[in-house]
Every structure is written in C-alpha cells, then in structure tokens.
Amino acid sequence: MVKRYTHAAIALHWLIAIMIIANIALAWIWPHAADEQVRPMINAHKSIGITVLGLAIMRLLWRFTHRPPAYPPSYQGWERAASHGVHGLLYAVMFVMPLTGWIMDSAWKDAGTHPMFWFGLFEWPRIAWFQHLDPALRDRLHDGFGAAHGLAAYALYALFLLHVGGALKHQFLDRERELQRMWPGRD
Ligand code: HEM
C-alpha cells in the first residue's frame, strides 16, 4: 500500500510545477519571438508568476498543517537528508522567483504607464514604495533584482534536476513506488 500525499498537496504540487515550467518556457521563447509577441508573453509570464506566489503561500500553509507521508524504510539517512534539503530549497525558490520578479517589475521605470493586469482581468498592484524612489536608485534596484531573478532561475534548474533525478532513482533503481506518492489514486 502506497503512502500518498493529501489530494490538496498533490493538486498544488502539479499546478505549481506546470506553471513554473510554463514560465521558464516563456522566458526561453520570448528572446526569439517576433516583437509584437514579446509584450503579451511577458505579461502572461507575470500573471503566471503572481499566481505561483499565491499557490506557494497556500502550499506552505498546507505543508505546515499536514505531515507528509513517511518515507519507505529502505531510504538511507543521506537520501532522506538530501531530499529534505532539496525540498526546502525548492520552497525557497518558489517564493524567491515570483518575489524578485514582482520587485523588479515594481521598480521598472515604465511601471507607471504600463499597469499590470492579472490575465487581463484586474489590475495587479506594483509595490508602491519602489515607484517613489530616486530614479537612479530605482533603476539600480530594477537591474539588481532582475539579475537575482535570473540567478535564482539557475538554482531552480539545478534543484529541478536533483528533484527529478532523486524521484527517478527511487522509482527505477530502488524499485520503490515513489511517483505514486505524488499521484492521485486510491491504493
Ligand atoms: C514561477 C515564477 C517565475 C519564474 C520561474 C520565472 C522565471 C524567469 C526566467 C527564467 C527569466 C529569464 C531570466 C534571464 O534569462 O535572465 C525571467 C525573466 C523575467 N521575469 Fe520571471 N519568473 C517568475 C515570476 C515572475 C514574476 C511574478 C514577474 C513579475 C511580476 C516576473 C517578471 C519577469 C521579467 C520582467 C523578466 C525579464 C523580462 C525581460 O527580459 O525584459 N517573473 N523570469
């Protein structure tokens, strides 16, 4: 019998995973897209990223109130420690990516004339504090948080590879029912 995560934890895991992959795909595609497609792609990227932030908050609250299923007894101490470490860092990146993006966007010199709409539905606020700064400082913060956003993406790629690599090792080399733990089902 497989010990599974709760339905809510599974739904949040896959929703966030799909949205993060979509956002990375957009960021890889827009440098090669036609000019008139770039702005809509960046707008979609911002809306998806803000949604990830909301879902990540819900996920963290759920995680604090719901214990994950115990690991199978065959997992070694170092594997448990590595998996906890990678999961903790993935939670951190889930917040750092959207927050650095939102701050960079709030410090953008054109933010005042280019309001952000969440999937075109309602205006999503910029963090007003950045708009009132001296323009030179605001530009430096924009560039600094933009660089942090790009660096955090590299951390995300490395963590993603470790996360998927670990799951596949347990599934196919150790022959545990690892993927089923994070997949909806009854057994
Ligand atoms: C799941 C969350 C997010 C992920 C995984 C993500 C990922 C990325 C990546 C990989 C890049 C390219 C970085 C580079 O090559 O230097 C990027 C750029 C960017 N992101 Fe995000 N991002 C997220 C959330 C956000 C949010 C919430 C905003 C704003 C509200 C945002 C705004 C931007 C902007 C403005 C750029 C640069 C666009 C340009 O080149 O002009 N991102 N993002």
Side-chain angles (χ1 to χ4, degrees):
M1 167 122 168
V2 180
K3 293 199 173 72
R4 289 176 201 278
Y5 282 84
T6 60
H7 289 298
I10 293 173
L12 286 167
H13 174 276
W14 292 110
L15 258 179
I16 290 174
I18 290 167
M19 289 192 173
I20 287 181
I21 290 168
N23 249 10
I24 287 170
L26 282 170
W28 282 7
I29 294 169
W30 76 52
H32 312 286
D35 281 354
E36 67 276 13
Q37 288 170 355
V38 172
R39 201 35 64 193
M41 289 175 102
I42 294 183
N43 288 342
H45 177 94
K46 292 177 185 176
S47 294
I48 294 171
I50 289 298
T51 311
V52 167
L53 180 61
L55 293 173
I57 292 170
M58 287 163 62
R59 185 165 178 193
L60 198 63
L61 291 174
W62 191 263
R63 174 65 180 75
F64 281 141
T65 48
H66 297 78
R67 200 175 259 284
Y71 287 128
S74 69
Y75 289 14
Q76 312 279 318
W78 70 267
E79 291 175 311
R80 291 161 191 264
S83 117
H84 283 313
V86 170
H87 291 163
L89 290 171
L90 279 168
Y91 273 108
V93 168
M94 254 185 285
F95 283 90
V96 168
M97 286 304 315
L99 285 175
T100 50
W102 188 20
I103 293 173
M104 160 182 31
D105 195 49
S106 299
W108 180 33
K109 63 177 176 10
D110 292 336
T113 50
H114 290 70
M116 179 196 152
F117 288 93
W118 188 79
F119 293 109
L121 292 176
F122 58 85
E123 187 172 347
W124 179 261
R126 265 40 181 262
I127 307 167
W129 187 76
F130 289 95
Q131 290 292 298
H132 305 306
L133 292 174
D134 165 64
L137 173 61
R138 190 198 54 205
D139 289 350
R140 276 211 306 283
L141 287 172
H142 172 271
D143 295 350
F145 278 95
H149 196 63
L151 280 176
Y154 283 110
L156 173 60
Y157 302 152
L159 291 166
F160 176 77
L161 289 178
L162 288 168
H163 183 62
V164 175
L168 294 179
K169 173 195 181 284
H170 291 311
Q171 185 80 16
F172 297 110
L173 297 182
D174 303 340
R175 302 202 171 276
E176 292 286 355
R177 300 182 75 199
E178 171 65 40
L179 301 182
Q180 286 83 344
R181 287 161 60 80
M182 202 38 112
W183 203 253
R186 271 187 295 132
D187 63 332

